Amino acid sequence: MPNGMPAPSLPAHVAIIMDGNGRWAQQRRRPRMIGHRAGARAVNRTIDFCLERGIAALTLFAFSSENWGRPQEEVDALMKLFLGALDREVDELDRRGVRVRFIGERSRFSSGIAQRMDRAEQRTAGNGAMALSIAASYGGRQDIAHAARLLAEQVAAGTLLPEQIDEHLLGRHVALTDLPPPDLFIRTGGDTRISNFLLWQLAYTELWFTEVLWPDVDADLLQRALDDYAQRERRYGLTSAQVAAAATETVSP
Ligand code: FPP
Protein backbone atom coordinates (compact mmCIF):
# COMPACT_ATOMS: atom_id res chain seq x y z
CA MET A 1 0.00 0.00 0.00
CA PRO A 2 1.48 3.36 -1.00
CA ASN A 3 1.06 5.36 2.16
CA GLY A 4 0.08 3.11 5.00
CA MET A 5 -3.36 2.27 6.11
CA PRO A 6 -6.81 3.76 6.52
CA ALA A 7 -7.20 7.49 6.82
CA PRO A 8 -6.74 8.94 10.23
CA SER A 9 -9.82 11.08 10.61
CA LEU A 10 -7.93 14.35 10.09
CA PRO A 11 -6.25 14.93 6.73
CA ALA A 12 -2.55 15.76 7.05
CA HIS A 13 -2.56 17.59 3.72
CA VAL A 14 -5.44 19.50 2.13
CA ALA A 15 -5.25 20.85 -1.43
CA ILE A 16 -7.79 23.38 -2.70
CA ILE A 17 -8.94 24.82 -6.02
CA MET A 18 -10.40 28.17 -5.04
CA ASP A 19 -13.00 28.70 -7.77
CA GLY A 20 -15.90 31.11 -8.10
CA ASN A 21 -14.44 34.54 -7.35
CA GLY A 22 -15.64 35.98 -10.66
CA ARG A 23 -19.18 34.65 -10.31
CA TRP A 24 -19.36 35.87 -6.71
CA ALA A 25 -18.61 39.40 -7.96
CA GLN A 26 -20.96 39.09 -10.94
CA GLN A 27 -23.82 38.09 -8.64
CA ARG A 28 -23.24 41.41 -6.86
CA ARG A 29 -22.85 43.31 -10.15
CA ARG A 30 -19.31 44.20 -9.18
CA PRO A 31 -16.06 43.89 -11.15
CA ARG A 32 -14.39 40.47 -11.03
CA MET A 33 -11.51 41.89 -8.98
CA ILE A 34 -13.87 42.50 -6.08
CA GLY A 35 -14.42 38.74 -6.09
CA HIS A 36 -10.67 38.07 -6.06
CA ARG A 37 -10.23 40.43 -3.12
CA ALA A 38 -13.00 38.67 -1.23
CA GLY A 39 -11.24 35.45 -2.25
CA ALA A 40 -8.06 36.65 -0.56
CA ARG A 41 -10.02 37.09 2.69
CA ALA A 42 -11.30 33.52 2.31
CA VAL A 43 -7.67 32.41 1.96
CA ASN A 44 -6.93 33.96 5.38
CA ARG A 45 -9.96 32.24 6.93
CA THR A 46 -8.83 28.92 5.46
CA ILE A 47 -5.28 29.30 6.79
CA ASP A 48 -6.72 30.16 10.24
CA PHE A 49 -8.98 27.11 10.11
CA CYS A 50 -6.19 24.73 9.10
CA LEU A 51 -3.84 26.06 11.77
CA GLU A 52 -6.54 25.73 14.43
CA ARG A 53 -7.36 22.18 13.40
CA GLY A 54 -3.70 21.14 13.29
CA ILE A 55 -3.63 20.33 9.57
CA ALA A 56 0.05 19.94 8.70
CA ALA A 57 -0.03 21.01 5.05
CA LEU A 58 -2.28 23.22 2.94
CA THR A 59 -1.80 23.71 -0.80
CA LEU A 60 -3.76 26.39 -2.66
CA PHE A 61 -4.15 26.82 -6.42
CA ALA A 62 -3.80 30.60 -6.78
CA PHE A 63 -2.96 30.95 -10.48
CA SER A 64 -2.71 28.29 -13.16
CA SER A 65 -0.36 28.27 -16.15
CA GLU A 66 -3.51 28.82 -18.22
CA ASN A 67 -4.64 31.87 -16.19
CA TRP A 68 -2.04 34.01 -18.02
CA GLY A 69 -4.50 33.90 -20.93
CA ARG A 70 -7.15 35.89 -19.01
CA PRO A 71 -7.79 39.52 -20.03
CA GLN A 72 -4.61 41.52 -19.33
CA GLU A 73 -6.48 43.84 -17.00
CA GLU A 74 -7.49 40.92 -14.76
CA VAL A 75 -3.98 39.40 -14.83
CA ASP A 76 -2.45 42.76 -13.87
CA ALA A 77 -4.93 43.27 -11.05
CA LEU A 78 -4.33 39.73 -9.76
CA MET A 79 -0.57 40.36 -9.76
CA LYS A 80 -1.15 43.51 -7.73
CA LEU A 81 -3.28 41.53 -5.32
CA PHE A 82 -0.56 38.85 -4.94
CA LEU A 83 2.09 41.53 -4.39
CA GLY A 84 -0.02 43.22 -1.70
CA ALA A 85 -0.76 39.88 -0.02
CA LEU A 86 2.95 38.97 -0.02
CA ASP A 87 3.85 42.32 1.56
CA ARG A 88 1.06 42.19 4.12
CA GLU A 89 0.77 38.58 5.19
CA VAL A 90 4.27 37.12 5.37
CA ASP A 91 5.14 38.62 8.80
CA GLU A 92 1.98 37.23 10.30
CA LEU A 93 2.43 33.81 8.67
CA ASP A 94 5.99 33.71 9.98
CA ARG A 95 4.85 34.68 13.47
CA ARG A 96 2.33 31.84 13.41
CA GLY A 97 4.96 29.32 12.40
CA VAL A 98 3.78 28.79 8.82
CA ARG A 99 6.34 27.69 6.25
CA VAL A 100 5.48 29.26 2.91
CA ARG A 101 6.55 28.03 -0.49
CA PHE A 102 5.51 28.59 -4.09
CA ILE A 103 5.30 25.95 -6.78
CA GLY A 104 5.09 26.73 -10.49
CA GLU A 105 7.03 28.74 -13.04
CA ARG A 106 8.40 31.58 -10.96
CA SER A 107 10.32 33.00 -13.91
CA ARG A 108 7.05 34.09 -15.52
CA PHE A 109 6.35 36.57 -12.71
CA SER A 110 7.81 40.06 -12.52
CA SER A 111 11.09 40.32 -10.65
CA GLY A 112 9.30 42.20 -7.82
CA ILE A 113 6.91 39.31 -7.23
CA ALA A 114 9.56 36.60 -7.75
CA GLN A 115 11.90 38.28 -5.24
CA ARG A 116 9.13 38.53 -2.66
CA MET A 117 8.34 34.85 -3.19
CA ASP A 118 12.03 33.99 -2.63
CA ARG A 119 12.15 36.13 0.49
CA ALA A 120 8.93 34.70 1.92
CA GLU A 121 10.33 31.19 1.45
CA GLN A 122 13.69 32.02 2.99
CA ARG A 123 12.18 33.85 5.90
CA THR A 124 9.74 31.06 6.83
CA ALA A 125 11.92 28.08 5.89
CA GLY A 126 12.49 27.02 9.51
CA ASN A 127 8.81 27.05 10.53
CA GLY A 128 6.95 23.89 11.42
CA ALA A 129 3.36 24.70 12.41
CA MET A 130 2.03 24.23 8.88
CA ALA A 131 3.41 23.95 5.35
CA LEU A 132 1.53 26.41 3.12
CA SER A 133 2.19 25.87 -0.58
CA ILE A 134 0.86 28.32 -3.13
CA ALA A 135 0.61 27.04 -6.68
CA ALA A 136 1.26 30.05 -8.93
CA SER A 137 1.74 29.74 -12.68
CA TYR A 138 1.46 26.05 -11.94
CA GLY A 139 0.22 23.19 -14.12
CA GLY A 140 0.21 19.52 -13.22
CA ARG A 141 1.33 18.39 -16.68
CA GLN A 142 4.12 20.94 -16.66
CA ASP A 143 5.16 19.62 -13.21
CA ILE A 144 5.41 16.05 -14.53
CA ALA A 145 7.16 17.16 -17.74
CA HIS A 146 9.69 19.09 -15.65
CA ALA A 147 10.38 16.00 -13.52
CA ALA A 148 10.84 13.92 -16.70
CA ARG A 149 13.29 16.49 -18.04
CA LEU A 150 15.34 16.42 -14.82
CA LEU A 151 15.64 12.65 -15.10
CA ALA A 152 16.46 12.85 -18.83
CA GLU A 153 19.29 15.27 -18.00
CA GLN A 154 20.71 12.78 -15.52
CA VAL A 155 20.51 10.02 -18.15
CA ALA A 156 22.22 12.28 -20.69
CA ALA A 157 24.95 13.07 -18.15
CA GLY A 158 25.50 9.36 -17.59
CA THR A 159 24.52 9.46 -13.90
CA LEU A 160 21.24 7.56 -14.29
CA LEU A 161 20.23 4.49 -16.27
CA PRO A 162 16.83 4.55 -18.02
CA GLU A 163 15.91 1.29 -16.27
CA GLN A 164 16.39 3.01 -12.89
CA ILE A 165 13.44 5.30 -13.66
CA ASP A 166 10.31 4.18 -11.87
CA GLU A 167 7.33 5.90 -10.28
CA HIS A 168 9.16 6.38 -6.99
CA LEU A 169 12.06 8.18 -8.63
CA LEU A 170 9.80 10.33 -10.80
CA GLY A 171 7.68 11.08 -7.73
CA ARG A 172 10.77 12.45 -6.02
CA HIS A 173 11.17 15.07 -8.77
CA VAL A 174 7.65 16.54 -8.91
CA ALA A 175 6.52 19.43 -6.70
CA LEU A 176 5.86 18.95 -2.96
CA THR A 177 7.82 15.74 -2.87
CA ASP A 178 8.83 16.31 0.76
CA LEU A 179 5.17 16.38 1.88
CA PRO A 180 2.74 13.49 2.13
CA PRO A 181 0.46 13.60 -0.92
CA PRO A 182 -2.82 15.46 -0.35
CA ASP A 183 -5.36 13.42 1.62
CA LEU A 184 -8.24 15.72 0.77
CA PHE A 185 -8.85 17.84 -2.33
CA ILE A 186 -11.51 20.52 -2.17
CA ARG A 187 -12.89 22.44 -5.14
CA THR A 188 -15.39 25.23 -4.69
CA GLY A 189 -17.53 26.85 -7.38
CA GLY A 190 -19.51 23.86 -8.64
CA ASP A 191 -17.22 22.35 -11.28
CA THR A 192 -16.20 18.75 -10.69
CA ARG A 193 -12.79 18.54 -12.31
CA ILE A 194 -9.13 18.71 -11.36
CA SER A 195 -8.14 21.32 -13.98
CA ASN A 196 -4.47 20.38 -14.26
CA PHE A 197 -3.78 20.80 -10.51
CA LEU A 198 -1.31 18.36 -8.82
CA LEU A 199 -2.06 15.55 -11.32
CA TRP A 200 0.64 13.23 -10.01
CA GLN A 201 0.14 14.01 -6.32
CA LEU A 202 -3.67 13.54 -6.35
CA ALA A 203 -3.56 9.86 -7.43
CA TYR A 204 -5.14 8.56 -4.19
CA THR A 205 -6.58 11.78 -2.81
CA GLU A 206 -10.19 11.95 -1.63
CA LEU A 207 -12.08 14.51 -3.74
CA TRP A 208 -14.71 16.87 -2.31
CA PHE A 209 -16.69 19.35 -4.40
CA THR A 210 -19.08 22.10 -3.40
CA GLU A 211 -21.25 24.61 -5.24
CA VAL A 212 -20.24 27.28 -2.71
CA LEU A 213 -18.23 30.06 -4.34
CA TRP A 214 -14.72 30.56 -2.93
CA PRO A 215 -15.30 33.99 -1.31
CA ASP A 216 -18.15 32.46 0.75
CA VAL A 217 -15.94 29.75 2.24
CA ASP A 218 -15.86 29.74 6.03
CA ALA A 219 -15.00 27.41 8.90
CA ASP A 220 -18.41 25.68 8.77
CA LEU A 221 -17.95 24.70 5.14
CA LEU A 222 -14.37 23.53 5.69
CA GLN A 223 -15.53 21.50 8.68
CA ARG A 224 -18.18 19.85 6.46
CA ALA A 225 -15.41 18.78 4.10
CA LEU A 226 -13.39 17.35 7.01
CA ASP A 227 -16.44 15.53 8.38
CA ASP A 228 -17.10 13.99 4.99
CA TYR A 229 -13.44 13.00 4.67
CA ALA A 230 -13.54 11.31 8.10
CA GLN A 231 -16.27 8.98 6.78
CA ARG A 232 -14.33 7.85 3.72
CA GLU A 233 -12.67 4.49 3.47
CA ARG A 234 -9.34 4.75 1.66
CA ARG A 235 -8.56 1.43 0.04
CA TYR A 236 -5.59 2.23 -2.23
CA GLY A 237 -6.72 -0.49 -4.61
CA LEU A 238 -7.19 -3.13 -1.88
CA THR A 239 -10.43 -4.67 -0.62
CA SER A 240 -12.43 -3.41 2.36
CA ALA A 241 -11.56 -6.61 4.25
CA GLN A 242 -7.84 -6.08 3.71
CA VAL A 243 -8.10 -2.47 4.84
CA ALA A 244 -10.04 -3.51 7.96
CA ALA A 245 -7.46 -6.21 8.77
CA ALA A 246 -4.61 -3.74 8.36
CA ALA A 247 -6.38 -1.28 10.68
CA THR A 248 -6.69 -3.99 13.35
CA GLU A 249 -2.97 -4.77 13.02
CA THR A 250 -2.14 -1.08 13.32
CA VAL A 251 -4.07 -0.62 16.57
CA SER A 252 -3.13 -3.92 18.25
CA PRO A 253 -0.17 -3.71 20.69
C1 FPP B 1 -10.67 31.34 -9.56
O1 FPP B 1 -11.90 32.05 -9.61
C2 FPP B 1 -9.69 32.12 -8.83
C3 FPP B 1 -8.49 32.58 -9.32
C4 FPP B 1 -8.04 32.35 -10.70
C5 FPP B 1 -7.58 33.39 -8.49
C6 FPP B 1 -7.42 32.90 -7.08
C7 FPP B 1 -7.02 34.03 -6.27
C8 FPP B 1 -7.46 34.26 -5.01
C9 FPP B 1 -8.32 33.34 -4.25
C10 FPP B 1 -7.11 35.53 -4.35
C11 FPP B 1 -5.85 35.65 -3.64
C12 FPP B 1 -4.99 34.50 -3.42
C13 FPP B 1 -3.88 34.53 -2.67
C14 FPP B 1 -3.06 33.30 -2.52
C15 FPP B 1 -3.48 35.76 -1.94
P1 FPP B 1 -12.46 32.49 -11.03
O2 FPP B 1 -11.95 33.86 -11.30
O3 FPP B 1 -12.10 31.47 -12.05
O4 FPP B 1 -14.00 32.51 -10.74
P2 FPP B 1 -15.17 32.22 -11.80
O5 FPP B 1 -15.03 30.75 -12.18
O6 FPP B 1 -16.39 32.47 -11.01
O7 FPP B 1 -14.98 33.15 -12.94
Side-chain angles (χ1 to χ4, degrees):
M1 178 172 303
N3 297 303
M5 290 291 139
S9 53
L10 187 72
H13 185 175
V14 176
I16 308 183
I17 294 188
M18 311 181 285
D19 200 11
N21 294 349
R23 278 164 285 161
W24 186 91
Q26 271 157 11
Q27 284 173 0
R28 287 159 181 76
R29 300 187 194 290
R30 305 297 306 279
R32 292 176 58 82
M33 250 347 266
I34 298 292
H36 292 313
R37 276 191 217 128
R41 293 192 289 277
V43 167
N44 288 338
R45 290 195 292 277
T46 302
I47 293 170
D48 289 348
F49 175 87
C50 291
L51 275 166
E52 279 162 21
R53 291 292 184 286
I55 288 168
L58 171 66
T59 300
L60 301 174
F61 206 0
F63 196 80
S64 73
S65 325
E66 293 76 27
N67 286 152
W68 292 110
R70 289 195 175 198
Q72 194 57 43
E73 193 187 40
E74 182 169 340
V75 172
D76 290 345
L78 271 170
M79 292 303 129
K80 224 169 126 189
L81 183 68
F82 293 150
L83 205 58
L86 279 164
D87 283 341
R88 248 189 344 268
E89 306 295 344
V90 173
D91 282 354
E92 179 65 6
L93 291 171
D94 188 33
R95 199 186 59 73
R96 299 174 81 186
V98 175
R99 176 179 161 208
V100 182
R101 93 175 79 177
F102 297 87
I103 59 169
E105 285 184 301
R106 197 165 310 190
S107 58
R108 293 194 69 179
F109 290 95
S110 71
S111 59
I113 292 186
Q115 275 170 15
R116 282 169 174 86
M117 288 175 171
D118 292 344
R119 262 188 260 142
E121 288 182 344
Q122 285 156 14
R123 166 118 180 246
T124 62
N127 293 340
M130 184 173 80
L132 172 65
S133 308
I134 313 269
S137 192
Y138 174 86
R141 289 178 175 175
Q142 168 208 92
D143 189 3
I144 296 168
H146 178 253
R149 189 183 319 152
L150 292 175
L151 295 179
E153 283 167 4
Q154 293 176 37
V155 171
T159 55
L160 181 70
L161 295 169
E163 53 270 34
Q164 290 175 299
I165 298 176
D166 59 13
E167 64 184 83
H168 299 289
L169 187 64
L170 203 139
R172 291 217 306 269
H173 289 78
V174 293
L176 305 181
T177 184
D178 58 320
L179 297 175
D183 300 298
L184 173 63
F185 161 96
I186 297 173
R187 180 175 186 145
T188 62
D191 287 329
T192 48
R193 49 178 175 257
I194 292 176
S195 297
N196 202 18
F197 193 32
L198 301 176
L199 294 180
W200 180 278
Q201 298 84 342
L202 292 175
Y204 281 99
T205 302
E206 296 295 325
L207 309 180
W208 194 82
F209 299 95
T210 174
E211 297 282 330
V212 170
L213 304 176
W214 175 253
D216 287 328
V217 164
D218 59 12
D220 286 348
L221 182 97
L222 295 168
Q223 188 57 51
R224 262 171 43 211
L226 293 195
D227 291 346
D228 190 321
Y229 171 82
Q231 304 303 317
R232 307 265 180 112
E233 179 192 58
R234 303 184 76 187
R235 291 194 297 277
Y236 300 100
L238 302 184
T239 66
S240 279
Q242 286 174 303
V243 171
T248 315
E249 276 167 33
T250 312
V251 292
S252 55

